Amino acid sequence: MNILPKKNWHVRTKENIARVRRDEANAAAEEKERERRRKLAEQEARTELLRSRARLKLGQSSENSKPESLESEAGEDDKDPKGISAGFENGGGEIESLTNAAGHVNFFQNIENGEKLKEGNDENAAEKKREQEEYEKKIGYLTYLGQDTEELTGEKVWWRKLPDRPNPEDPSQAEQKKFD
């Protein structure tokens, strides 16, 4: 008796498949709209920031035309960059480089700029790699192109070994054969 396809909760029915596809399409459309609105807001904020910087460079007074959001975000940080590192001894340079004009901290700025992070201990890494290669060679996992496992271990594979056949001239083997 096959009654599972007749159940309304079964995942393979046409109605449920259509409902899932419709829900996924709606979710994708909502996500696309959210992403579009986020990009638009980010673009507008970037444009306003660039306009305010341009006004400052041209010497115009931007105090009246500067939006409140930028004033609250930037605050005293733009005027006194040394204030960011207050309380740190000789370590403020790193913190200053992590903050942007709005005062937000970006810990991954060097990665976004494509700078390489300092690698670990090179000698330790080379030693670990050598040990790993030795282990893989020992268990037969690591082989090089064109290298056979027979060459690696020096042993013949079981299907290449000749079987031990009894010698017909040996009387002790002939007697054993009769008893079997």
Side-chain angles (χ1 to χ4, degrees):
M1 188 172 206
N2 192 4
I3 61 171
L4 188 58
K6 294 177 178 39
K7 299 292 184 182
N8 64 355
W9 48 263
H10 185 53
V11 295
R12 301 276 186 208
T13 60
K14 291 180 183 179
E15 295 85 23
N16 287 339
I17 292 173
R19 184 183 315 140
V20 167
R21 287 184 181 157
R22 186 179 58 244
D23 291 345
E24 287 176 348
N26 289 342
E30 289 174 5
E31 182 64 29
K32 188 182 272 189
E33 178 62 23
R34 256 188 257 124
E35 183 68 19
R36 186 192 65 79
R37 287 176 41 210
R38 186 193 60 79
K39 284 183 179 180
L40 181 64
E42 185 177 317
Q43 179 184 5
E44 289 173 355
R46 220 178 311 134
T47 304
E48 188 58 39
L49 178 67
L50 291 174
R51 284 182 184 158
S52 65
R53 286 183 183 172
R55 285 186 198 114
L56 286 175
K57 284 185 179 180
L58 292 176
Q60 296 175 354
S61 175
S62 65
E63 295 298 323
N64 298 336
S65 62
K66 195 172 185 182
E68 293 122 17
S69 64
L70 286 178
E71 284 180 354
S72 64
E73 287 179 1
E76 296 289 324
D77 293 343
D78 288 338
K79 297 174 187 170
D80 184 21
K82 295 292 182 185
I84 296 171
S85 62
F88 294 99
E89 298 176 16
N90 299 329
E94 293 178 14
I95 295 175
E96 288 176 13
S97 67
L98 293 176
T99 57
N100 59 9
H104 296 286
V105 178
N106 186 2
F107 291 109
F108 304 103
Q109 184 174 3
N110 56 353
I111 296 171
E112 291 172 356
N113 294 339
E115 299 173 9
K116 261 192 162 181
L117 296 177
K118 183 181 175 191
E119 297 288 327
N121 187 354
D122 294 334
E123 293 175 5
N124 188 18
E127 184 178 339
K128 284 185 178 182
K129 183 178 178 184
R130 183 179 46 81
E131 289 175 0
Q132 182 71 17
E133 283 183 6
E134 287 176 8
Y135 173 72
E136 289 175 355
K137 282 181 183 179
K138 187 174 81 174
I139 64 170
Y141 181 70
L142 178 67
T143 57
Y144 295 105
L145 184 63
Q147 185 180 18
D148 198 8
T149 56
E150 290 180 13
E151 294 173 7
L152 182 67
T153 59
E155 297 178 7
K156 284 190 174 183
V157 191
W158 65 270
W159 66 83
R160 291 199 179 188
K161 292 181 184 177
L162 292 175
D164 294 332
R165 301 201 186 251
N167 191 355
E169 293 138 11
D170 190 13
S172 63
Q173 290 179 357
E175 290 177 12
Q176 284 180 356
K177 205 173 202 186
K178 290 179 186 176
F179 293 119
D180 289 337

